[in-house]
Amino acid sequence: MFERDVFKVTLTGKLHLIHAIGDKTSGAVFLGNGSFELRPASEAERRQVGMHMADPRLVTLGDSFESVIFLGTALTAAAEKAGAPVTGPVDPKASDRWDDYLKKQKRDLHTNMQIRLLQELIDDREPFFLAWVDGKKLPPSVLIVDPRGAESVRLAGREMGGEQSMMYVSHSERGGIWYSARLRSEIQAGRGVKIVPPAEAEHYQIDSTIRGEEMSGTTTITLVPSAPVRVLPIEIAGKLRLSEVSYASAAEPSNWTPVAVIQEHEKEDPDAAVIFPVAVTAGQQYLLKLVYAGRDVLENSGDGNWTITRRVNWYPNVGTFRDLATYDLRFRTPAKFQIVSVGEEVENRMEGDDRITVWKSTHPLRVAGFNYGRFKKLSQTDKDSGMTFEVYTNPGTPDVINQINRALEEHSRVAGGPSFVRVDTGSLAQAAMADGINTARTGNVYFGPLAHRRVAITQQSQWFFGQSWPTLVYLPYVAFLDGTVRNTLGLNDVKEFVDTVGPHELAHQWWGHQVGWASYRDEWISEGFSEFTTAAVLQQTGGWPKYNDFFELARRRILEKPRGALVTNAEAGPISQGNRIGSSQNQSAYGAIIYSKGAYVLHMLRMTMRDTKNGDAAFMAMMTDFATAYAGKNASTADFQRIVEKHATRSLKLTQDGKLDWFFNQWVHGTDIPRYTSKLDFTDAGGGKYKVTGTITQSDVPEGFAVVMPIYVHFDKSSYMHLASTALIGNQTKPVEIEIALPKKPLKFTINANHDVLAR
């Protein structure tokens, strides 16, 4: 029996050892009878595993098997120490199992786990445990316990927050991360070991040449190792092939030494790494030069429109978003095309038939990016926000519009109706400009000004995919289609998306770029905060009715059960499950919970902190403090909670210690959504005073579930004001008795008039 954190593996049979490197055995193939058991270390993870198994009462998960693949030295060392039976000659069945596993790793897992194995064997890191289990009941799974964080095996994202234990399931419908957590011992102690990457980049010098859909380049990374390192993973698009890598000490930048490269086939597991001939020294500055070329970074979308398809790894890097670096970017392109990049343009000149542009970041950035094509530029500086916005639209007609017009022409001949759509993206540039200006003004008031004073808003050919990079926004093509064209194309249902995508993507300049997120569990700090910003922009441009409509739609999304789902979005999991919230019970809950519920959390804080005398002053001070304190840092939910507690108004302090565990446990780490009913009557008490009596009931919640419920007085259909608030705890019917002077006769009294509390 072998135990590692939450996993217990029982084996009856023989281990066939994989070849040793030096004095270390790199893994084994087991043949015989075996089983594994997973006992989650936290209630949240127990619930998550239960969700995947459609068993809410599940306590442990297990399966049996007749063979298993082990990587790493942890199990083999324990087996040898215990005197477990190990074969001499390799059983042909073991070789077959090993070959089959390698095929699955390349074809299904699509990741090079041997890079992590080399880190242990060559860099003498702590032993890790990995098992590939193709059991009798469950889909094929990878069990991992890695002291460097489960993300080091490059299997399920790079922002796992240093969680060391993981169960990853490989299945077309049920696949994904079923379990991920810190070590049980760390959870019980309430603190964990900080896991740092092997090296951090301080600066990138990127020199790129674009010829058609081919990109070639040389990137020189100024990096500092966090420990002695020989094996360093590199992020780069699979079809960009590394041809030459060398390194030098920053103190001797002319003395370059070749470096070995790992990069498997682009269609299999193209994860890359470099192996230094000797270990580089922790804390010293080095230059790493990488030369590469390939396709798949850009896609020709027709008539001067191009799509950037690899926005995170179009250049080799040692981790985007995780750490910040400065950038110098140089592009060589055909003269007829333009580059719009992050940073500031410092050079734009012709050299023969080529255009050379140079861009420099004015401050450290989380990621570099660019857009490419034929563009028409609209520029405006907004005096109120101090921001300059540039909108780049493409006057050409992309291939997709030509395809649509050919289909419409055929449809018109057969059935009548529209036969042609004409797109003038430039005519809607002013709308994109307005979104930028309105978002900047709102963001400055609520969160404080940005470090940079310029943002480029660019058109891209992908229809529904917007994205925001530092100083650079990619807006989806549909955002540049007017209502008439959308109607012709049958896209009327995307109006709400078109109205909000601009402010949301621009809000990422604060949330996601100025303030990052610590791990996938904190991604709502980027997406939910940006979604709340969108609502605040709608309030500034359309008043409280628009703001209220936004949160009514958000409420419906949160409570919705999508087609094919077995549970509602709210039941699928809490905000703190991040991108793991999807399961076979509900595959599409991510947007409703991380975006909509994440925004709702900020809205509820705002409404609870709001008062008639100072309005949003306390909330704005809190948000500005958070945006300032964590500028250039990766914030966690716990970090945000501490800032909220620092600024908490009396209305939020429901416990004697003043902590807000009650709020964050309910709304960020929990899934319960309360239901409310109220019956409020009033009588004229004379002298302009009115007596309000009745009850408010909270139900469908666990014991101790607490909210601050506002009571509103309505004078007519559009005029109302906040009257008072009352705390509700657990399933409770609370009597209400208030006598208050009012300026005129009320129409009625209600609760939750501004969606103050998320409710059924």
Side-chain angles (χ1 to χ4, degrees):
M1 185 177 72
F2 176 83
E3 290 191 65
R4 207 66 160 187
D5 192 39
V6 295
F7 299 109
K8 180 169 70 174
V9 180
T10 302
L11 305 174
T12 304
K14 291 186 178 180
L15 286 171
H16 302 260
L17 301 184
I18 300 171
H19 63 273
I21 297 179
D23 60 349
K24 296 180 180 179
T25 303
S26 57
V29 178
F30 168 78
L31 297 177
N33 293 306
S35 64
F36 82 88
E37 179 182 278
L38 162 62
R39 183 177 291 271
S42 70
E43 174 59 24
E45 287 303 308
R46 185 205 66 77
R47 184 187 185 280
Q48 183 74 8
V49 175
M51 181 67 69
H52 283 284
M53 290 296 294
D55 180 4
R57 293 191 295 272
L58 181 141
V59 176
T60 62
L61 177 68
D63 200 358
S64 58
F65 48 80
E66 294 179 349
S67 68
V68 64
I69 305 295
F70 294 106
L71 288 183
T73 63
L75 181 130
T76 55
E80 291 171 340
K81 184 177 180 181
V86 178
T87 61
V90 176
D91 188 322
K93 290 183 179 179
S95 295
D96 291 343
R97 296 289 191 276
W98 176 249
D99 291 341
D100 182 60
Y101 162 72
L102 289 179
K103 291 177 183 177
K104 291 182 182 296
Q105 177 183 306
K106 294 176 180 180
R107 183 185 67 234
D108 300 336
L109 300 180
H110 208 63
T111 185
N112 192 341
M113 295 182 185
Q114 280 68 25
I115 291 175
R116 175 64 185 95
L117 186 59
L118 279 176
Q119 287 181 303
E120 177 182 342
L121 298 174
I122 295 179
D123 286 339
D124 198 28
R125 299 294 187 227
E126 295 179 71
F128 79 102
F129 165 76
L130 184 149
W132 166 262
V133 181
D134 194 350
K136 297 180 178 180
K137 296 186 301 181
L138 299 175
S141 306
V142 183
L143 315 180
I144 303 165
V145 181
D146 190 338
R148 295 188 62 78
E151 63 259 47
S152 293
V153 302
R154 306 162 70 90
L155 183 61
R158 308 294 188 261
E159 305 297 332
M160 298 304 295
E163 295 178 347
Q164 301 100 320
S165 293
M166 178 189 292
M167 177 179 176
Y168 179 87
V169 173
S170 177
H171 191 270
S172 60
E173 296 176 358
R174 302 177 64 193
I177 303 172
W178 283 28
Y179 178 86
S180 183
R182 285 274 181 174
L183 298 175
R184 185 189 299 277
S185 59
E186 294 184 357
I187 292 174
Q188 292 173 344
R191 61 183 182 275
V193 175
K194 183 179 180 180
I195 297 173
V196 297
E200 291 192 352
E202 294 183 341
H203 181 72
Y204 287 89
Q205 175 75 48
I206 305 173
D207 194 337
S208 303
T209 298
I210 296 174
R211 292 287 183 263
E213 294 188 350
E214 181 92 9
M215 170 175 273
S216 60
T218 299
T219 292
T220 303
I221 310 173
T222 304
L223 56 82
V224 177
S226 58
V229 170
R230 285 195 62 197
V231 181
L232 180 65
I234 298 294
E235 301 287 339
I236 186 172
K239 291 187 178 181
L240 288 179
R241 311 307 293 175
L242 293 165
S243 59
E244 180 184 339
V245 180
S246 56
Y247 84 109
S249 167
E252 299 180 70
S254 60
N255 186 16
W256 294 94
T257 301
V259 174
V261 177
I262 298 172
Q263 191 177 33
E264 298 294 335
H265 194 278
E266 63 187 46
K267 293 183 178 180
E268 293 181 345
D269 50 3
D271 290 342
V274 299
I275 305 178
F276 297 102
V278 296
V280 291
T281 305
Q284 292 193 15
Q285 198 176 63
Y286 293 88
L287 304 177
L288 181 65
K289 183 191 296 182
L290 306 101
V291 181
Y292 49 92
R295 301 171 71 86
D296 203 35
V297 170
L298 304 102
E299 180 181 289
N300 190 344
S301 301
D303 202 10
N305 288 271
W306 292 78
T307 301
I308 312 302
T309 57
R310 295 290 180 266
R311 297 186 190 158
V312 175
N313 54 9
W314 64 274
Y315 61 99
N317 63 80
V318 293
T320 55
F321 290 94
R322 181 177 56 203
D323 60 342
L324 287 79
T326 53
Y327 286 84
D328 289 346
L329 303 105
R330 183 178 184 270
F331 296 91
R332 177 185 290 269
T333 67
K336 62 184 178 180
F337 295 124
Q338 296 166 262
I339 289 285
V340 185
S341 172
V342 299
E344 298 283 349
E345 187 179 59
V346 297
E347 185 178 349
N348 190 327
R349 61 183 174 84
M350 301 302 297
E351 189 175 287
D353 293 332
D354 291 339
R355 183 187 301 275
I356 309 296
T357 59
V358 179
W359 302 73
K360 292 180 179 290
S361 62
T362 57
H363 59 284
L365 307 177
R366 298 180 184 277
V367 64
F370 69 97
N371 209 344
Y372 177 66
R374 288 197 185 103
F375 294 114
K376 181 179 179 181
K377 177 182 175 182
L378 174 68
S379 181
Q380 182 175 334
T381 298
D382 176 49
K383 294 181 180 179
D384 289 346
S385 65
M387 295 286 294
T388 296
F389 289 94
E390 300 166 356
V391 180
Y392 293 85
T393 54
N394 191 306
T397 303
D399 292 341
V400 66
I401 294 296
N402 290 325
Q403 292 167 7
I404 288 171
N405 281 331
R406 286 194 293 270
L408 286 173
E409 184 179 7
E410 178 64 25
H411 181 266
S412 177
R413 283 200 300 265
V414 175
S419 61
F420 190 81
V421 295
R422 186 179 302 278
V423 178
D424 180 11
T425 56
S427 67
L428 292 178
Q430 197 62 53
M433 178 71 72
D435 282 342
I437 291 172
N438 289 330
T439 305
R441 291 175 179 177
T442 302
N444 280 5
V445 170
Y446 278 84
F447 321 127
L450 294 165
H452 57 269
R453 314 306 294 162
R454 168 197 163 271
V455 175
I457 304 170
T458 64
Q459 172 195 326
Q460 59 156 348
S461 297
Q462 290 172 310
W463 276 79
F464 296 105
F465 181 50
Q467 203 165 35
S468 181
W469 260 209
T471 75
L472 174 66
V473 173
Y474 304 89
L475 279 190
Y477 196 82
V478 71
F480 293 93
L481 303 180
D482 63 29
T484 301
V485 173
R486 296 201 306 269
N487 179 64
T488 301
L489 299 179
L491 297 174
N492 288 325
D493 58 343
V494 303
K495 183 180 185 304
E496 187 265 338
F497 171 76
V498 171
D499 290 344
T500 59
V501 65
H504 178 96
E505 297 304 336
L506 285 153
H508 279 306
Q509 298 301 308
W510 283 270
W511 312 119
H513 295 306
Q514 177 167 303
V515 178
W517 63 96
S519 80
Y520 73 97
R521 295 188 182 275
D522 312 298
E523 196 171 343
W524 74 287
I525 290 175
S526 174
E527 300 297 355
F529 280 46
S530 293
E531 197 74 348
F532 170 81
T533 306
T534 302
V537 172
L538 290 177
Q539 181 195 336
Q540 298 305 311
T541 58
W544 277 97
K546 284 286 187 182
Y547 182 79
N548 234 337
D549 289 345
F550 180 94
F551 282 105
E552 172 57 22
L553 181 59
R555 187 186 73 86
R556 293 177 183 176
R557 284 176 177 156
I558 295 164
L559 296 172
E560 179 188 12
K561 181 188 286 187
R563 180 177 297 178
L566 301 177
V567 298
T568 67
N569 292 327
E571 295 166 332
I575 290 172
S576 54
Q577 286 301 109
N579 56 27
R580 293 177 52 210
I581 200 170
S583 72
S584 58
Q585 303 296 295
N586 184 330
Q587 296 284 6
S588 57
Y590 175 82
I593 300 305
I594 307 306
Y595 285 65
S596 297
K597 191 179 179 184
Y600 226 117
V601 168
L602 288 189
H603 167 64
M604 288 190 288
L605 286 171
R606 176 193 184 187
M607 300 311 295
T608 306
M609 298 174 75
R610 187 178 175 85
D611 64 46
T612 54
K613 181 180 179 181
N614 299 307
D616 286 321
F619 178 78
M620 290 176 177
M622 175 192 77
M623 295 299 292
T624 301
D625 190 5
F626 181 59
T628 303
Y630 287 92
K633 300 176 183 178
N634 298 324
S636 68
T637 299
D639 294 327
F640 179 58
Q641 180 177 336
R642 283 189 287 271
I643 294 292
V644 179
E645 288 172 346
K646 174 183 173 182
H647 293 269
T649 56
R650 183 181 301 176
S651 55
L652 270 176
K653 296 179 180 179
L654 298 187
T655 58
Q656 290 184 346
D657 61 6
K659 299 293 185 182
L660 294 180
D661 292 342
W662 66 271
F663 181 90
F664 283 85
N665 286 342
Q666 289 172 186
W667 299 113
V668 179
H669 307 300
T671 60
D672 296 296
I673 309 292
R675 187 183 304 276
Y676 296 101
T677 57
S678 64
K679 183 179 181 182
L680 299 174
D681 299 315
F682 68 92
T683 57
D684 191 335
K689 293 184 177 181
Y690 295 87
K691 186 175 183 180
V692 184
T693 58
T695 59
I696 303 173
T697 299
Q698 175 174 264
S699 59
D700 293 353
V701 294
E703 182 180 354
F705 190 100
V707 303
V708 178
M709 177 58 69
I711 301 172
Y712 288 87
V713 55
H714 297 251
F715 299 107
D716 53 49
K717 290 184 178 180
S718 60
S719 175
Y720 61 95
M721 61 179 283
H722 179 259
L723 177 66
S725 295
T726 186
L728 299 169
I729 300 176
N731 294 294
Q732 176 189 22
T733 296
K734 190 168 187 178
V736 174
E737 186 171 334
I738 304 171
E739 186 170 289
I740 189 169
L742 296 173
K744 59 181 178 179
K745 183 179 179 180
L747 176 65
K748 62 179 179 179
F749 292 84
T750 66
I751 61 171
N752 221 15
N754 282 320
H755 293 81
D756 309 71
V757 179
L758 176 58
R760 297 187 182 278

